[in-house]
Amino acid sequence: MDRVALRGLKARGHHGVFPREREEGQTFIVDLVLGLDTRPAAAADDLSKTVHYGVVAEEVVDVVKGEPVDLIETLAERIAQQCLKHEGVEEVEVVVHKPDAPITVPFDDVTITITRSRA
């Protein structure tokens, strides 16, 4: 399986369990790896035979900006399901970064990584 990766998609969302997170929002960063067979697209040099990563990027940002959820696990699942709606995408790895998580000690990042497939 071939891989198409999008790294560092950024959007402001209002996800989290604390009222402040819901009210003020924060930046979330998403990395994706889409698993698909790119041979048909390469052979025909045809965008319609692969995944349009620009469209995927816009959809993922819309999910992050969309309806708030408590957990980044839920957000990652919603993103994965959106990616799998694209014909040809057989698998997706989603990493959601929450660099401004409400943690009381110094830290660089909080992430959740999930992998989902059609099977």
Side-chain angles (χ1 to χ4, degrees):
M1 193 172 311
D2 303 318
R3 305 274 183 235
V4 173
L6 290 92
R7 307 266 187 225
L9 297 171
K10 294 180 186 174
R12 189 160 188 83
H14 293 265
H15 312 288
V17 296
F18 297 112
R20 182 172 157 217
E21 293 178 291
R22 291 293 183 104
E23 292 164 10
E24 296 177 14
Q26 60 193 294
T27 299
F28 293 84
I29 302 165
V30 178
D31 301 325
L32 301 173
V33 179
L34 307 169
L36 65 153
D37 183 357
T38 63
R39 289 176 292 191
D45 197 27
D46 185 349
L47 177 60
S48 71
K49 297 182 184 298
T50 188
V51 64
H52 191 310
Y53 50 79
V55 170
V56 171
E58 291 170 359
E59 292 172 350
V60 168
V61 165
D62 286 345
V63 171
V64 174
K65 289 180 174 180
E67 181 184 346
V69 296
D70 288 344
L71 304 176
I72 59 173
E73 292 86 344
T74 307
L75 181 59
E77 185 66 35
R78 287 184 176 179
I79 291 168
Q81 294 308 314
Q82 181 62 46
C83 293
L84 289 171
K85 289 180 181 179
H86 287 269
E87 187 176 337
V89 175
E90 296 296 324
E91 182 179 273
V92 61
E93 178 183 275
V94 177
V95 181
V96 175
H97 301 257
K98 189 175 179 181
D100 299 321
I103 297 175
T104 61
V105 297
F107 74 102
D108 288 330
D109 199 5
V110 173
T111 66
I112 176 75
T113 303
I114 67 169
T115 303
R116 299 292 182 264
S117 65
R118 292 185 184 275

